[in-house]
């Protein structure tokens, strides 16, 4: 699904950066839980969570974009 001019967006602030994603592209929002750490993955991967029997990766947009922690 492509975002259109009339789309609503979820906006996140990371430091002085703003990241927007079209709401129509978001499948679900999950309450934060502790992720299981994985060895040998890129630094931006914080780990995985088990969501109803499906392993989902937990990613850090801040690390992926090189934005320091506050």
């Amino acid at each position: 699904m492509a975002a259109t001019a009339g789309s609503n967006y979820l906006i996140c602030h990371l430091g002085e950066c703003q990241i927007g994603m079209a709401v129509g592209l978001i499948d679900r929002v999950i309450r934060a839980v502790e992720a299981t750490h994985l060895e040998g993955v890129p630094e931006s991967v914080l780990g995985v969570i088990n969501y109803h029997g499906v392993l989902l990766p937990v990613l850090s947009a801040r690390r992926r974009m090189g934005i320091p922690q506050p």
Side-chain angles (χ1 to χ4, degrees):
M1 171 186 284
T4 63
S7 295
N8 290 317
Y9 291 86
L10 172 68
I11 306 294
C12 299
H13 297 268
L14 296 175
E16 295 186 19
C17 295
Q18 289 184 348
I19 299 173
M21 180 178 285
V23 171
L25 299 175
I26 299 171
D27 184 51
R28 66 184 59 110
V29 176
I30 302 170
R31 183 180 300 265
V33 296
E34 188 172 343
T36 301
H37 177 72
L38 299 173
E39 295 292 328
V41 296
E43 186 176 293
S44 61
V45 179
L46 300 177
V48 294
I49 61 170
N50 183 336
Y51 182 75
H52 298 289
V54 177
L55 291 180
L56 298 175
V58 178
L59 308 174
S60 170
R62 187 179 290 276
R63 286 185 185 177
R64 175 84 170 122
M65 295 172 39
I67 300 171
Q69 293 290 343

